[in-house]
Amino acid sequence: MNDLRPIRAKSGTNQEGTSAHNRRVMIDALRLNGQLSRADLARATALTKQTVSNIIEDLERDGLVQSLTAVRNGRGQPSTPYRLVAEGAFAIGLQIDRHVTRTIAVDLEGTVLARAEANLPAGGPATGVKTILDLIEKTRRDLASIAPQSEQRLVGLGAAMPGPFGVEAADDDPWMMAAWQNFPLLETLAAGTGLDVALQNDSAAAATAERLVGAAHGVDHAICIYLGYGLGAGLILNGELYRGANGNGGEIGMILSLPRGAAEHERTPLEYRASIASLCKLLELDPADPDLYARLDAAVTDGDIRLRNWLDVAVYELRGAVQVLETIFDPQTVILCGGLPPGLAQLITDTMQPLLPSLADRRDRSLPRLQVGFTDPWAVAIGAAAEPISRTFDPRFSAILKTRSADGS
């Protein structure tokens, strides 16, 4: 039924002891392509028809896949398409930022079903944890009112906050969240919610959102530059998010950069000049202002000279960062996303043209070197919620290893 369009899918394996991986491959193929027949799935994943049939039956029994009305193509036998059941799994996402916390609930396809937001009180995690747990509980109640089966199908809680992690910093450092990072956050959240909890930095979460439902959907190699209070990058390599040895992969905001005209000893982190925090400082705005987006939009619309001065410096830094990232990782595309208004994101992207020459500047490109992705204050929370879905259902080499270990091979 899909002879006229290419099917995007990863390959499964017909070796013994790889059923967990093959299940993930099938779910991923259905998520990427919408609906496929058993023949489509066998052809796209390189699995035998019998293996596909067995897995489809298992997924139907588990409530993750359902069959649709049979379709007749030409003179052949009618084929039955299958699609994911969006209500087959749910996840909660949590974003912890310097001034605000957000929770969000999504289904298996990444559709947002419930969301909540609250200001974090002063005092760090000692006072903020209760606010967070109450917000998670509210989101779960809201989700249960929409999807009563959700509590039995929650696959986990994904949390995201600014990094880097494990770096010594003073509790009052405005660029770090040392108090929260030194707090037993995962243990507290797991005990308070009863869910499996995983933590990632905000740029990785934004990249996860782009991969699930954004500009990186179906792209195996992408760099997502996250421009928020600080600056980071989510690295999607071979279809998986690369986190690094300590969860700090992509912390490009920490690159020591030399401002134009400065002396060698004046190197400072790149995010000091290319971030919303640096822009707010120049515009004399409070990053915690609930109307911050509107004020930034106004600065763009009014052609504020201070914004233009910031843009000149930030674009100089970001053009260099893109060239370095393209040279090191050879991505299919670079995506600018984050906690900034769409108009500002587009202005930055347009002003960065032309990009610096790099090996990515090829005639046979199917994707632009640089494009705008999610520019939404909820992007990190969406990505945090997508992480448990990804961890549970996406094809990963670790799934093969885990299954073989369980088989004793």
Side-chain angles (χ1 to χ4, degrees):
M1 58 176 294
N2 283 282
D3 294 336
L4 299 180
R5 63 182 175 89
I7 301 174
R8 295 182 295 174
K10 291 183 171 61
S11 294
T13 172
N14 291 298
Q15 297 179 17
E16 293 184 7
T18 56
S19 58
H21 173 71
N22 290 336
R23 274 174 62 99
R24 290 168 177 254
V25 165
M26 298 261 289
I27 291 171
D28 187 57
L30 290 170
R31 181 188 292 134
L32 287 173
N33 297 279
Q35 59 186 55
L36 296 169
S37 69
R38 297 190 187 198
D40 291 331
L41 286 163
R43 185 170 64 254
T45 63
L47 293 170
T48 66
K49 291 182 179 179
Q50 185 59 54
T51 297
V52 167
S53 294
N54 292 341
I55 293 175
I56 282 290
E57 290 173 6
D58 287 344
L59 293 176
E60 281 190 292
R61 186 167 53 249
D62 292 343
L64 296 172
V65 165
Q66 70 177 172
S67 60
L68 302 176
T69 303
V71 177
R72 180 180 295 278
N73 289 319
R75 300 179 180 178
Q77 292 293 321
S79 61
T80 300
Y82 294 85
R83 71 169 181 87
L84 287 183
V85 177
E87 301 81 12
F90 302 88
I92 304 292
L94 166 68
Q95 177 189 8
I96 303 173
D97 214 329
R98 294 162 179 84
H99 313 290
V100 68
T101 182
R102 298 182 178 96
T103 52
I104 209 159
V106 302
D107 62 22
L108 180 56
E109 293 182 335
T111 302
V112 175
L113 301 175
R115 64 176 72 193
E117 180 180 31
N119 290 328
L120 279 175
T127 56
V129 162
K130 183 180 186 306
T131 299
I132 288 170
L133 289 173
D134 288 346
L135 206 64
I136 293 171
E137 180 58 30
K138 178 184 185 305
T139 301
R140 290 176 76 166
R141 290 196 305 269
D142 292 344
L143 175 62
S145 69
I146 299 169
Q149 76 278 30
S150 60
E151 277 298 309
Q152 288 71 47
R153 290 185 171 270
L154 272 177
V155 296
L157 168 67
M161 61 184 288
F165 301 130
V167 177
E168 292 295 329
D171 284 356
D172 60 352
D173 187 329
W175 294 97
M176 302 288 188
M177 292 184 65
W180 282 96
Q181 292 181 14
N182 294 328
F183 182 77
L185 182 62
L186 295 184
E187 296 85 350
T188 303
L189 292 175
T193 65
L195 298 173
D196 290 332
V197 186
L199 176 67
Q200 59 186 330
N201 64 35
D202 49 6
S203 56
T208 302
E210 293 288 354
R211 182 175 179 272
L212 185 67
V213 292
H217 185 61
V219 179
D220 287 331
H221 307 278
I223 305 297
C224 301
I225 295 181
Y226 178 77
L227 184 65
Y229 184 93
L231 179 69
L235 312 175
I236 299 172
L237 309 176
N238 291 319
E240 297 187 17
L241 192 68
Y242 177 75
R243 304 179 189 279
N246 301 292
N248 291 326
E251 284 287 356
I252 63 171
M254 301 299 293
I255 294 173
L256 290 179
S257 174
L258 189 65
R260 283 180 290 187
E264 178 67 25
H265 68 277
E266 295 179 294
R267 288 183 181 272
T268 51
L270 191 153
E271 66 185 3
Y272 284 19
R273 291 173 295 286
S275 64
I276 295 301
S278 64
L279 177 57
C280 286
K281 183 177 180 180
L282 205 61
L283 295 178
E284 299 178 317
L285 297 176
D286 180 2
D289 186 344
D291 295 323
L292 180 62
Y293 267 39
R295 298 188 191 282
L296 292 177
D297 271 332
V300 173
T301 302
D302 298 342
D304 192 311
I305 187 63
R306 295 171 297 174
L307 183 142
R308 287 289 172 179
N309 292 337
W310 173 85
L311 193 65
D312 179 58
V313 174
V315 162
Y316 173 80
E317 300 284 7
L318 291 171
R319 291 175 84 217
V322 167
Q323 200 274 344
V324 169
L325 290 168
E326 288 178 328
T327 301
I328 295 174
F329 295 106
D330 190 23
Q332 293 166 267
T333 186
V334 176
I335 301 165
L336 178 66
C337 58
L340 72 167
L344 178 57
Q346 193 62 58
L347 177 61
I348 293 170
T349 303
D350 291 344
T351 309
M352 287 175 66
Q353 304 296 334
L355 297 171
L356 296 177
S358 87
L359 52 80
D361 195 9
R362 302 184 311 274
R363 292 183 179 179
D364 63 345
R365 295 193 63 87
S366 59
L367 294 171
R369 286 177 61 187
L370 178 67
Q371 60 180 306
V372 176
F374 271 130
T375 52
D376 187 319
W378 291 89
V380 171
I382 292 171
E387 195 282 334
I389 299 288
S390 174
R391 178 168 20 112
T392 306
F393 297 110
D394 284 358
R396 295 182 179 179
F397 184 62
S398 58
I400 299 178
L401 295 179
K402 192 174 296 184
T403 306
R404 287 181 175 175
S405 176
D407 292 343
S409 55

